[in-house]
Amino acid sequence: MKFGILILEGPYQHQAGDSAYNFAEAAVAKGHAISGLFFYCDGVQNATTYMTPPQDDRHISKRWAEFIAKHGVDAVVCIAASKKRGITDANLIKGARIAGLGQLTELGIESDRLIAFGD
Amino acid sequence: MLFTVNKSPLTSDNLKTCLRFAKKGNSVLLYEDGVYGAIPGTKVESVVKEALKSIEVFALKEDLKARGFGEVIDGVKLVDYAGFVGLVEEHNVCPWL
Amino acid sequence: MAGEDLNEEERSEEDKKKFLFLMRKAPYGSIYPQGGLEVILIMAAYDQTISVLFADDGVFCLKKGQETAGIHVKDFSSAFKVLESYGVEHLYVDKTSLEERGMKPEDLLTGVEVVSSDEMSGFLSGQDVILPF
């Protein structure tokens, strides 16, 4: 199956982003495809290089970048939400792209399931 | 239909309103703080037990374990993340966040 | 020929996905309802079937007379009034949520369909994508 994942909360503040990641890993492990990740609202913060967590904590954006590269996943970061938070291509994780909300509709159309994680 | 519930039912009406919309044969997955709805002895245990008469209730094992719990109300089924994915394979999702 | 055209139309109807926006959060306290509204307005250009259900604190989004000047935040409530002209098929409001908040349909900004959760249960199951805001 093709799973689309929508992430609506920021990193290190709410569990939503962690749940989304764990779900995505488990889906891939079961042989499913991730048709896309869409980061929206504060969720866009998950995809920036602006984080240096302590060594013994998970590195949320690095983890996503590795996931995206390993599985060739399309990861879209909402442009409007990014602009509000100063996120540009210069501070975006590798493999992610900034694009409009239309991509979320596209993701909904092409996915067998679109599941949202948020507050 | 799989309703995903992530709020503690002890401080939020989330589970209660979700159950109002869930119909016979639907499933509810409790995850994140939603898992507090699955543990026995709380003030919402009777609500969950009543729901179990017509719907299936699942709780995410990893979230329960992270919070120091393991026991769940009789009839609530434990799933791990692979099981969560399995539920989403079977059902369309209604995120009740 | 006419029959073929009809079939084609039916097929394209089938290709459309049913999107439901589940608005369950109050306005201004968080970005969620505004975020949902922005998705709806963009999605409207995609020729999909869009419905919106306001339940729980989401019904507060439709309250008449919102004045946000004092909190220096943009009032986005008026945008809900135009959704119908954007081709949003249904604007549903959960009856119980409204009653629990001491509100009546006439307190709401726009013409909505007040429905019971029983009526909505089946409708939810028929949706392809449900987006929570």
Side-chain angles (χ1 to χ4, degrees):
Chain A
M1 266 187 163
K2 287 187 287 185
F3 291 132
I5 297 177
L6 170 63
I7 298 129
L8 296 163
E9 280 292 316
Y12 306 109
Q13 174 78 17
H14 190 284
Q15 203 187 341
D18 290 302
S19 298
Y21 179 79
N22 292 331
F23 180 87
E25 280 282 9
V28 167
K30 284 193 84 177
H32 296 293
I34 302 300
S35 40
L37 303 169
F38 193 92
F39 296 94
Y40 186 39
C41 299
D42 241 8
V44 296
Q45 311 264 22
N46 289 286
T48 77
T49 54
Y50 283 163
M51 52 181 85
T52 46
Q55 291 254 320
D56 60 351
D57 200 353
R58 70 235 188 268
H59 192 305
I60 289 178
S61 69
K62 206 172 139 195
R63 195 170 66 176
W64 278 123
E66 284 164 6
F67 181 85
I68 291 163
K70 188 174 173 193
H71 305 292
V73 173
D74 185 28
V76 178
V77 182
C78 170
I79 188 165
S82 290
K83 279 187 170 172
K84 286 178 185 168
R85 292 163 179 84
I87 300 168
T88 65
D89 285 333
N91 50 39
L92 198 66
I93 54 167
K94 225 178 144 193
R97 61 188 176 98
I98 294 176
L101 277 174
Q103 296 293 305
L104 177 56
T105 303
E106 299 274 3
L107 187 59
I109 293 169
E110 72 192 43
S111 302
D112 296 309
R113 300 272 190 267
L114 178 57
I115 177 167
F117 293 90
D119 187 26
Chain B
M1 179 65 56
L2 174 73
F3 293 85
T4 55
V5 173
N6 71 340
K7 303 284 184 305
S8 166
L10 305 166
T11 48
S12 161
D13 259 0
N14 227 33
L15 179 61
K16 212 176 94 190
T17 63
C18 168
L19 293 174
R20 192 154 58 72
F21 282 88
K23 62 173 181 174
K24 199 172 159 58
N26 285 166
S27 298
V28 172
L29 171 71
L30 307 172
Y31 76 113
E32 295 177 1
D33 285 348
V35 297
Y36 291 117
I39 60 178
T42 73
K43 66 177 181 181
V44 296
E45 182 174 1
S46 58
V47 174
V48 175
K49 280 187 165 163
E50 185 58 35
L52 281 166
K53 291 176 185 168
S54 56
I55 62 167
E56 284 198 284
V57 180
F58 299 88
L60 189 64
K61 206 191 290 178
E62 286 88 340
D63 278 335
L64 207 56
K65 223 174 149 185
R67 288 159 176 80
F69 288 92
E71 293 283 302
V72 289
I73 295 165
D74 271 350
V76 173
K77 298 187 181 86
L78 287 177
V79 287
D80 58 11
Y81 264 100
F84 183 176
V85 172
L87 288 170
V88 179
E89 288 166 19
E90 287 169 44
H91 309 270
N92 224 341
V93 184
C94 182
W96 205 266
L97 307 180
Chain C
M1 285 299 273
E4 266 173 37
D5 284 346
L6 196 72
N7 281 342
E8 224 160 70
E9 224 165 74
E10 273 176 4
R11 199 161 48 236
S12 73
E13 278 300 312
E14 263 178 34
D15 284 346
K16 278 189 193 177
K17 278 203 170 179
K18 293 193 185 94
F19 286 85
L20 174 71
F21 289 82
L22 188 53
M23 313 292 281
R24 294 187 40 253
K25 297 188 197 303
Y28 312 115
S30 81
I31 193 73
Y32 277 88
Q34 194 183 345
L37 184 65
E38 282 168 12
V39 180
I40 296 169
L41 295 175
I42 299 289
M43 190 177 284
Y46 279 78
D47 197 29
Q48 303 295 307
T49 305
I50 305 174
S51 305
V52 188
L53 168 61
F54 296 87
D56 293 331
D57 282 349
V59 302
F60 287 134
C61 293
L62 297 173
K63 174 74 177 66
K64 270 183 196 160
Q66 297 176 31
E67 287 175 24
T68 60
I71 58 168
H72 304 289
V73 172
K74 200 163 80 179
D75 171 9
F76 65 93
S77 65
S78 54
F80 284 116
K81 285 193 286 194
V82 304
L83 289 183
E84 224 173 343
S85 64
Y86 271 72
V88 171
E89 195 135 307
H90 295 288
L91 287 177
Y92 294 116
V93 170
D94 173 48
K95 188 168 183 274
T96 304
S97 300
L98 208 55
E99 287 170 357
E100 281 175 348
R101 285 156 183 80
M103 287 165 74
K104 296 185 177 67
E106 48 270 34
D107 296 322
L108 305 178
L109 275 165
T110 182
V112 292
E113 300 165 61
V114 178
V115 292
S116 71
S117 44
D118 283 347
E119 291 171 74
M120 276 294 104
S121 294
F123 180 76
L124 287 179
S125 302
Q127 300 301 305
D128 294 309
V129 179
I130 301 178
L131 296 170
F133 283 103

